[in-house]
């Protein structure tokens, strides 16, 4: 037989149940908080890693885009690259003429001793006369649009011929390709273009 509980007992039991429920809710919140905090920190860390990787890619791309281009030695006139090409072009043409001239043929010169002026002397004299004069220099291509001060241009021409003429003649003597000479000699830079047709033109049957 059920016995009726006194009101005081019922109230105490209700208060105990409410207190237990509140404790469970507090415990639930407390135990869940570290888990949520760890997840938030992990997400934030991952976001920072992604942002850092993106930033490094952008910086690396800018460095590659700003790779330093090699500049040539333009001289006081700003025309040394074109002058060098003109000297190479005229040297090759003079060399072809000199080696077919009996007294200046390099074959006669080498095999039978000097017969008048050598081919090298003929080429040097020809280039000095045909290139390093104001009339020829005034008609040179001027791709960068520099104002031409003819005494300075003429000085640079004589200087290039004096410093590089013998090397060019050696290359011609050995049959070397001279189209890239002015770049290899650091007279022309990466931004300069070929202004003369310096590609080797082989005669029919020369490869035999």
């Amino acid at each position: 037989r059920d016995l009726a509980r006194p009101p005081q007992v019922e109230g105490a039991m209700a208060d105990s149940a409410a207190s237990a429920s509140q404790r469970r809710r507090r415990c639930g919140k407390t135990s869940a908080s570290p888990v949520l905090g760890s997840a938030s920190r992990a997400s934030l860390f991952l976001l920072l890693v992604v942002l850092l990787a993106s930033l490094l890619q952008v910086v690396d791309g800018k460095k590659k885009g700003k790779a330093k281009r090699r500049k040539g030695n333009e001289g006081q006139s700003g025309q040394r690259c074109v002058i060098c090409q003109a000297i190479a072009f005229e040297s090759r043409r003079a060399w072809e003429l000199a080696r077919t001239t009996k007294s200046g043929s390099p074959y006669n010169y080498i095999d039978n001793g000097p017969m008048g002026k050598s081919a090298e002397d003929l080429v040097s004299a020809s280039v000095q006369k045909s290139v390093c004069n104001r009339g020829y220099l005034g008609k040179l291509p001027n791709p960068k649009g520099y104002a031409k001060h003819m005494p300075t241009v003429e000085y640079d021409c004589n200087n290039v011929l004096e410093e590089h003429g013998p090397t060019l003649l050696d290359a011609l003597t050995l049959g070397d390709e001279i189209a890239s000479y002015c770049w290899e000699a650091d007279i022309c830079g990466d931004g300069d273009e070929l202004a003369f047709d310096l590609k080797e033109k082989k005669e029919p049957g020369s490869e035999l």
Side-chain angles (χ1 to χ4, degrees):
R1 189 176 57 181
D2 294 335
L3 298 176
R5 295 188 183 92
Q8 294 86 353
V9 175
E10 291 288 343
M13 292 177 64
D15 292 341
S16 178
S19 298
S21 177
Q22 290 178 356
R23 285 197 298 272
R24 283 196 298 272
R25 285 197 297 271
R26 284 197 298 270
C27 289
K29 289 180 180 179
T30 305
S31 60
S33 180
V35 176
L36 292 176
S38 298
S40 299
R41 287 193 294 271
S43 299
L44 181 60
F45 178 75
L46 182 61
L47 179 61
L48 289 174
V49 170
V50 172
L51 290 175
L52 181 59
S54 300
L55 180 61
L56 289 176
Q57 288 181 350
V58 171
V59 172
D60 188 54
K62 287 183 177 180
K63 286 182 178 180
K64 290 181 179 179
K66 293 182 179 179
K68 190 174 181 180
R69 303 185 71 186
R70 184 177 60 85
K71 290 185 177 180
N73 179 8
E74 297 181 336
Q76 295 296 321
S77 67
Q79 295 282 293
R80 278 173 64 93
C81 177
V82 177
I83 290 170
C84 178
Q85 294 182 59
I87 289 174
F89 179 79
E90 296 296 340
S91 294
R92 188 181 68 182
R93 187 162 67 174
W95 174 258
E96 293 294 331
L97 179 62
R99 75 176 185 174
T100 58
T101 302
K102 185 175 181 180
S103 62
S105 173
Y107 307 109
N108 290 330
Y109 170 65
I110 292 172
D111 296 336
N112 303 319
M115 298 177 64
K117 286 187 176 181
S118 69
E120 290 83 355
D121 291 337
L122 290 172
V123 171
S124 296
S126 174
V127 174
Q128 177 74 44
K129 183 178 179 180
S130 63
V131 177
C132 294
N133 65 78
R134 296 189 181 186
Y136 185 96
L137 295 173
K139 297 176 182 178
L140 282 179
N142 188 10
K144 297 183 179 179
Y146 291 122
K148 287 186 178 180
H149 181 250
M150 294 315 299
T152 306
V153 177
E154 193 173 7
Y155 169 82
D156 276 343
C157 183
N158 290 322
N159 180 255
V160 172
L161 184 60
E162 180 181 353
E163 291 183 353
H164 299 277
T167 309
L168 269 170
L169 287 175
D170 288 342
L172 290 167
T173 303
L174 296 172
D176 293 341
E177 187 267 334
I178 61 171
S180 60
Y181 175 82
C182 298
W183 281 263
E184 293 172 356
D186 291 329
I187 298 174
C188 297
D190 293 338
D192 294 306
E193 297 180 356
L194 200 62
F196 288 82
D197 184 10
L198 296 174
K199 300 294 184 182
E200 186 70 21
K201 296 180 181 179
K202 293 185 178 180
E203 298 177 359
S206 61
E207 67 279 0
L208 299 178

